[in-house]
PDB file of all heavy atoms in Angstrom:
ATOM      1  N   ALA S1292     216.535-132.320 164.182  1.00  0.00           N
ATOM      2  CA  ALA S1292     216.409-131.053 164.871  1.00  0.00           C
ATOM      3  C   ALA S1292     217.610-130.098 164.480  1.00  0.00           C
ATOM      4  O   ALA S1292     217.348-128.850 164.325  1.00  0.00           O
ATOM      5  CB  ALA S1292     216.526-131.303 166.308  1.00  0.00           C
ATOM      6  N   THR S1293     218.721-130.650 164.180  1.00  0.00           N
ATOM      7  CA  THR S1293     219.802-129.856 163.741  1.00  0.00           C
ATOM      8  C   THR S1293     219.584-129.247 162.399  1.00  0.00           C
ATOM      9  O   THR S1293     219.867-128.060 162.173  1.00  0.00           O
ATOM     10  CB  THR S1293     221.230-130.668 163.754  1.00  0.00           C
ATOM     11  OG1 THR S1293     221.387-131.058 165.166  1.00  0.00           O
ATOM     12  CG2 THR S1293     222.426-129.835 163.269  1.00  0.00           C
ATOM     13  N   THR S1294     218.972-130.073 161.503  1.00  0.00           N
ATOM     14  CA  THR S1294     218.758-129.531 160.204  1.00  0.00           C
ATOM     15  C   THR S1294     217.716-128.488 160.334  1.00  0.00           C
ATOM     16  O   THR S1294     217.852-127.447 159.645  1.00  0.00           O
ATOM     17  CB  THR S1294     218.162-130.789 159.332  1.00  0.00           C
ATOM     18  OG1 THR S1294     219.158-131.739 159.135  1.00  0.00           O
ATOM     19  CG2 THR S1294     217.753-130.212 157.967  1.00  0.00           C
ATOM     20  N   ALA S1295     216.716-128.559 161.130  1.00  0.00           N
ATOM     21  CA  ALA S1295     215.665-127.498 161.286  1.00  0.00           C
ATOM     22  C   ALA S1295     216.274-126.234 161.886  1.00  0.00           C
ATOM     23  O   ALA S1295     215.948-125.148 161.404  1.00  0.00           O
ATOM     24  CB  ALA S1295     214.609-128.066 162.147  1.00  0.00           C
ATOM     25  N   LEU S1296     217.162-126.379 162.860  1.00  0.00           N
ATOM     26  CA  LEU S1296     217.913-125.185 163.425  1.00  0.00           C
ATOM     27  C   LEU S1296     218.721-124.573 162.382  1.00  0.00           C
ATOM     28  O   LEU S1296     218.725-123.269 162.355  1.00  0.00           O
ATOM     29  CB  LEU S1296     218.659-125.581 164.588  1.00  0.00           C
ATOM     30  CG  LEU S1296     217.955-125.922 165.900  1.00  0.00           C
ATOM     31  CD1 LEU S1296     218.929-126.623 166.899  1.00  0.00           C
ATOM     32  CD2 LEU S1296     217.308-124.677 166.482  1.00  0.00           C
ATOM     33  N   GLN S1297     219.463-125.349 161.619  1.00  0.00           N
ATOM     34  CA  GLN S1297     220.285-124.721 160.569  1.00  0.00           C
ATOM     35  C   GLN S1297     219.516-124.021 159.534  1.00  0.00           C
ATOM     36  O   GLN S1297     219.890-122.883 159.127  1.00  0.00           O
ATOM     37  CB  GLN S1297     221.185-125.843 159.964  1.00  0.00           C
ATOM     38  CG  GLN S1297     222.324-126.329 160.710  1.00  0.00           C
ATOM     39  CD  GLN S1297     223.405-125.392 160.810  1.00  0.00           C
ATOM     40  OE1 GLN S1297     223.523-124.777 161.824  1.00  0.00           O
ATOM     41  NE2 GLN S1297     224.126-125.153 159.772  1.00  0.00           N
ATOM     42  N   GLU S1298     218.352-124.586 159.125  1.00  0.00           N
ATOM     43  CA  GLU S1298     217.532-123.990 158.016  1.00  0.00           C
ATOM     44  C   GLU S1298     216.907-122.679 158.622  1.00  0.00           C
ATOM     45  O   GLU S1298     216.653-121.709 157.842  1.00  0.00           O
ATOM     46  CB  GLU S1298     216.408-124.845 157.623  1.00  0.00           C
ATOM     47  CG  GLU S1298     216.957-126.089 156.748  1.00  0.00           C
ATOM     48  CD  GLU S1298     215.917-127.161 156.481  1.00  0.00           C
ATOM     49  OE1 GLU S1298     214.786-127.113 157.041  1.00  0.00           O
ATOM     50  OE2 GLU S1298     216.230-128.028 155.639  1.00  0.00           O
ATOM     51  N   ALA S1299     216.802-122.622 159.919  1.00  0.00           N
ATOM     52  CA  ALA S1299     216.232-121.343 160.521  1.00  0.00           C
ATOM     53  C   ALA S1299     217.224-120.427 160.956  1.00  0.00           C
ATOM     54  O   ALA S1299     216.939-119.492 161.764  1.00  0.00           O
ATOM     55  CB  ALA S1299     215.128-121.758 161.688  1.00  0.00           C
ATOM     56  N   ALA S1300     218.504-120.769 160.718  1.00  0.00           N
ATOM     57  CA  ALA S1300     219.601-119.903 161.179  1.00  0.00           C
ATOM     58  C   ALA S1300     219.557-119.703 162.740  1.00  0.00           C
ATOM     59  O   ALA S1300     219.972-118.662 163.157  1.00  0.00           O
ATOM     60  CB  ALA S1300     219.649-118.571 160.448  1.00  0.00           C
ATOM     61  N   PHE S1301     219.125-120.781 163.336  1.00  0.00           N
ATOM     62  CA  PHE S1301     218.967-120.759 164.880  1.00  0.00           C
ATOM     63  C   PHE S1301     218.235-119.563 165.310  1.00  0.00           C
ATOM     64  O   PHE S1301     218.385-119.036 166.398  1.00  0.00           O
ATOM     65  CB  PHE S1301     220.399-120.696 165.530  1.00  0.00           C
ATOM     66  CG  PHE S1301     221.041-122.098 165.685  1.00  0.00           C
ATOM     67  CD1 PHE S1301     221.623-122.692 164.465  1.00  0.00           C
ATOM     68  CD2 PHE S1301     221.032-122.713 166.757  1.00  0.00           C
ATOM     69  CE1 PHE S1301     222.231-123.937 164.601  1.00  0.00           C
ATOM     70  CE2 PHE S1301     221.648-124.043 166.864  1.00  0.00           C
ATOM     71  CZ  PHE S1301     222.218-124.597 165.776  1.00  0.00           C
ATOM     72  N   GLY S1302     217.249-119.007 164.581  1.00  0.00           N
ATOM     73  CA  GLY S1302     216.465-117.949 164.898  1.00  0.00           C
ATOM     74  C   GLY S1302     217.215-116.473 164.821  1.00  0.00           C
ATOM     75  O   GLY S1302     216.750-115.542 165.293  1.00  0.00           O
ATOM     76  N   LEU S1303     218.416-116.494 164.162  1.00  0.00           N
ATOM     77  CA  LEU S1303     219.165-115.383 164.041  1.00  0.00           C
ATOM     78  C   LEU S1303     219.040-114.711 162.688  1.00  0.00           C
ATOM     79  O   LEU S1303     219.928-114.135 162.091  1.00  0.00           O
ATOM     80  CB  LEU S1303     220.660-115.630 164.288  1.00  0.00           C
ATOM     81  CG  LEU S1303     220.952-116.092 165.756  1.00  0.00           C
ATOM     82  CD1 LEU S1303     222.456-116.371 165.862  1.00  0.00           C
ATOM     83  CD2 LEU S1303     220.472-115.040 166.792  1.00  0.00           C
ATOM     84  N   ASP S1304     217.968-114.987 161.901  1.00  0.00           N
ATOM     85  CA  ASP S1304     217.805-114.480 160.495  1.00  0.00           C
ATOM     86  C   ASP S1304     217.927-113.012 160.375  1.00  0.00           C
ATOM     87  O   ASP S1304     218.182-112.588 159.242  1.00  0.00           O
ATOM     88  CB  ASP S1304     216.486-115.038 159.926  1.00  0.00           C
ATOM     89  CG  ASP S1304     215.279-115.036 160.831  1.00  0.00           C
ATOM     90  OD1 ASP S1304     215.493-114.783 162.053  1.00  0.00           O
ATOM     91  OD2 ASP S1304     214.201-115.173 160.430  1.00  0.00           O
ATOM     92  N   GLY S1305     217.834-112.249 161.485  1.00  0.00           N
ATOM     93  CA  GLY S1305     218.046-110.828 161.342  1.00  0.00           C
ATOM     94  C   GLY S1305     219.470-110.427 161.331  1.00  0.00           C
ATOM     95  O   GLY S1305     219.737-109.216 161.081  1.00  0.00           O
TER      96      GLY S1305
END
Side-chain angles (χ1 to χ4, degrees):
T1293 298
T1294 297
L1296 286 168
Q1297 285 289 106
E1298 288 173 354
F1301 280 78
L1303 297 177
D1304 42 348

